[in-house]
Amino acid sequence: MIEVRNLRKTFDGFVALDDLNLTVPSGAVYGLVGPNGAGKSTVIRHITGIFRPDSGTVTVDSQPVYENPAVKSGIAYIPDDIFYFPSSNLLDMAKFYKGTYENFDMKLYEELRKSFNLDPKTQIRRFSKGMQKQAAFLLAIASRPKVLVLDEPVDGLDPVMRRQVWGLMIQDVAQHGTTVLVSSHNLRELEDVCDHVGILHKGKMLLERTLDELQDNVVKAQIVFREGTDLPESLQVLHRSKVGKVDTAIIRGNQERVGAALNAINPIFFDLVPLTLEEVFVYELGGVDYEVKNVVL
Amino acid sequence: MISLNYRDPRPIYEQLEEKLRRLILSGAIGEGEKLPSVRELASQLAINPNTIQRAYRELEQNGFIYSVPGKGSFAGKLSGVDEGRRKELRDKLLAIWTELLQLGENPESLIALLKQIAMGDSVGGGVPDAPEVTAAGAPKAFEAGTAAKKEEKRND
């Protein structure tokens, strides 16, 4: 549905995106993650047609996005810094959206507005941050888009509102098969809602997988080795540490295969657990020299 | 309402599978009773529908539920539960029994325990769950709390 191919973008000599490839299948909920400054917002601005590629292509439904109103009318975008016309209220914004998006559904807007309990006549700049995000969300969903692009949609919201927003997004996906690209640092929450993940690093795609593949293919093993034994050579180890007699190793491979390999060396004890998305992030990036540094104060 | 433990390291689909399995085994979801649709549950819990789908698929493979195209998924007959699941449990049982015996547990007491359960006497509560988080503000709640209510009634 969303295809980015060999995308290159430079700002004043700084290479923000370096031959980037990204694919979001139709109906997927794709989590775009990466360290600060990796290029997430830059990619998103290409996908929403704000930036034009220096080279490479950015297409939605096989059509290039840039300066293409036909394609853009099917994309709803909620940026990290949401913009509202200075003295507008929610009703004003709804009317503006209605004039811009041909599929805007006023009835749906009304329903959502009521369930979020937002006053249509108050100036939006007087809403709290959380309420402004809710407003952005309901305007986006009411536009009945084919593609939803969300940049940090729950950042700064309280736990109840976060769930409300994710719940609304999932409902839309479940009912209409909307394709969603969401960027967030909250990997704990993304893990629940995404089925695809792309890890961006220094303007390039480090790793792009379905969530199942990602979690089924790395395990955390805790092992107490017998005297004179160690991990089998055949295993690909991403990270290793030891506390007392217990070795902790992050190993590539599924639980069955790794379990079998470990059983073969007959350790005194071992345990295998799947990794959380957050752990996958930390270990994969640790492998490319982006890691928690021991700072001496 | 089905609640998930976000701090549990196991994948969500496994947790969901376990919870639904326990509800079906305990009778809280009766034979032939309809389960919430994948979409409903996904929306309620704010979890990707594919994850829910995966849990339902595993449950169906093991014989706990069956689906009727166009109608949804329903709890199956307990006696229909697959040999695969039973083997899984027997393997776990062996590991647990081995450890107990290694710790000095008397084999006779284990046999007595088994007899007690087979005769239908409950042997006290199971392992308490870690603190759970429920989906707040969800619309029509799926009443998974009925098991707890039955327990309360029995203790009156």
Side-chain angles (χ1 to χ4, degrees):
Chain A
M1 179 51 116
I2 302 177
E3 279 195 4
V4 174
R5 293 284 174 269
N6 307 109
L7 180 57
R8 215 182 141 76
K9 185 72 176 176
T10 308
F11 294 108
D12 254 350
F14 170 70
V15 182
L17 300 177
D18 186 5
D19 206 33
L20 179 69
N21 289 297
L22 183 155
T23 308
V24 180
S26 188
V29 180
Y30 185 108
L32 183 62
V33 304
N36 296 326
K40 302 186 293 297
S41 293
T42 309
V43 169
I44 285 177
R45 291 199 183 105
H46 279 92
I47 293 171
T48 49
I50 295 166
F51 285 161
R52 182 183 52 195
D54 286 345
S55 65
T57 58
V58 179
T59 58
V60 169
D61 230 357
S62 306
Q63 303 278 10
V65 189
Y66 192 70
E67 298 206 315
N68 189 340
V71 171
K72 288 188 182 186
S73 68
I75 305 175
Y77 171 42
I78 303 180
D80 193 5
D81 44 355
I82 304 174
F83 174 80
Y84 293 107
F85 295 118
S87 20
S88 64
N89 59 37
L90 195 48
L91 186 57
D92 295 329
M93 292 307 301
K95 288 182 185 167
F96 175 73
Y97 269 69
K98 181 155 178 65
T100 317
Y101 283 98
E102 61 182 25
N103 291 323
F104 190 85
D105 186 337
M106 258 306 177
K107 245 182 73 188
L108 180 56
Y109 152 78
E110 227 351 83
E111 248 179 71
L112 291 169
R113 186 197 66 74
K114 278 194 218 139
S115 80
F116 273 113
N117 207 12
L118 293 172
D119 181 9
K121 290 302 182 77
T122 309
Q123 286 193 347
I124 297 191
R125 66 156 185 240
R126 298 168 106 204
F127 280 179
S128 70
K129 177 176 180 180
M131 287 156 76
Q132 285 188 16
K133 286 222 175 209
Q134 287 183 316
F137 222 86
L138 72 90
L139 287 167
I141 301 260
S143 305
R144 296 227 177 263
K146 284 200 249 169
V147 178
L148 252 182
V149 180
L150 310 170
D151 198 348
E152 294 286 1
V154 293
D155 190 36
L157 301 185
D158 71 60
V160 174
M161 282 200 193
R162 295 170 95 96
R163 292 208 206 190
Q164 195 155 30
V165 167
W166 288 131
L168 189 58
M169 188 198 85
I170 288 283
Q171 242 185 70
D172 200 58
V173 168
Q175 283 172 3
H176 302 114
T178 315
T179 305
V180 180
L181 171 66
V182 50
S183 174
S184 177
H185 283 303
N186 193 321
L187 301 180
R188 239 271 62 244
E189 289 180 347
L190 275 191
E191 198 167 11
D192 288 345
V193 302
C194 292
D195 45 42
H196 286 74
V197 173
I199 304 181
L200 220 60
H201 183 52
K202 292 191 180 158
K204 282 178 120 73
M205 185 60 76
L206 182 64
L207 196 58
E208 187 179 68
R209 300 268 190 282
T210 65
L211 194 56
D212 281 347
E213 277 170 358
L214 207 58
Q215 293 182 317
D216 286 349
N217 283 303
V218 206
V219 276
K220 187 195 299 191
Q222 300 203 283
I223 315 149
V224 177
F225 292 105
R226 263 179 221 287
E227 188 82 36
T229 63
D230 197 38
L231 287 174
E233 292 276 305
S234 58
L235 292 177
Q236 198 187 346
V237 181
L238 289 175
H239 179 87
R240 212 169 152 168
S241 61
K242 193 173 176 133
V243 176
K245 282 201 195 156
V246 184
D247 268 85
T248 302
I250 310 293
I251 306 171
R252 244 196 233 301
N254 64 38
Q255 245 177 332
E256 261 180 66
R257 207 172 62 79
V258 175
L262 287 177
N263 261 317
I265 59 158
N266 193 21
I268 296 174
F269 162 85
F270 83 87
D271 193 25
L272 294 176
V273 266
L275 289 173
T276 64
L277 183 57
E278 202 170 298
E279 287 173 310
V280 171
F281 181 99
V282 171
Y283 290 119
E284 290 286 353
L285 283 160
V288 289
D289 271 334
Y290 184 79
E291 57 208 345
V292 178
K293 295 182 174 58
N294 286 321
V295 178
V296 180
L297 289 172
Chain B
M1 154 152 23
I2 305 246
S3 52
L4 294 171
N5 181 359
Y6 294 111
R7 288 174 163 265
D8 190 326
R10 289 176 307 156
I12 303 248
Y13 79 87
E14 247 185 64
Q15 282 186 56
L16 197 56
E17 212 198 307
E18 187 197 309
K19 302 239 179 234
L20 287 169
R21 201 169 51 220
R22 283 160 74 168
L23 288 171
I24 294 173
L25 284 172
S26 67
I29 307 180
E31 185 189 319
E33 200 174 311
K34 186 176 183 316
L35 268 69
S37 73
V38 171
R39 287 180 185 182
E40 277 166 10
L41 207 48
S43 303
Q44 255 180 49
L45 298 171
I47 300 283
N48 192 299
N50 288 344
T51 309
I52 314 283
Q53 187 80 287
R54 192 168 171 182
Y56 275 34
R57 228 182 2 247
E58 301 270 334
L59 285 168
E60 187 158 2
Q61 260 173 27
N62 288 327
F64 283 95
I65 66 176
Y66 60 92
S67 13
V68 179
K71 296 236 158 135
S73 301
F74 303 81
K77 235 202 276 252
L78 285 182
S79 59
V81 173
D82 210 32
E83 181 57 33
R85 172 68 185 158
R86 289 202 253 172
K87 177 173 186 315
E88 204 184 307
L89 288 169
R90 278 200 293 266
D91 288 341
K92 284 189 187 165
L93 201 55
L94 252 119
I96 294 174
W97 275 346
T98 309
E99 191 178 340
L100 273 171
L101 293 172
Q102 281 170 343
L103 291 173
E105 181 87 7
N106 185 350
E108 292 300 321
S109 73
L110 290 177
I111 296 173
L113 213 59
L114 182 56
K115 285 195 177 146
Q116 223 184 319
I117 298 175
M119 294 204 295
D121 295 337
S122 80
V123 206
V127 179
D129 287 313
E132 291 180 344
V133 182
T134 52
K140 278 180 84 193
F142 170 63
E143 279 306 340
T146 46
K149 289 195 188 135
K150 278 187 183 169
E151 191 67 50
E152 276 176 58
K153 281 210 176 138
R154 222 182 327 163
N155 292 336
D156 278 342

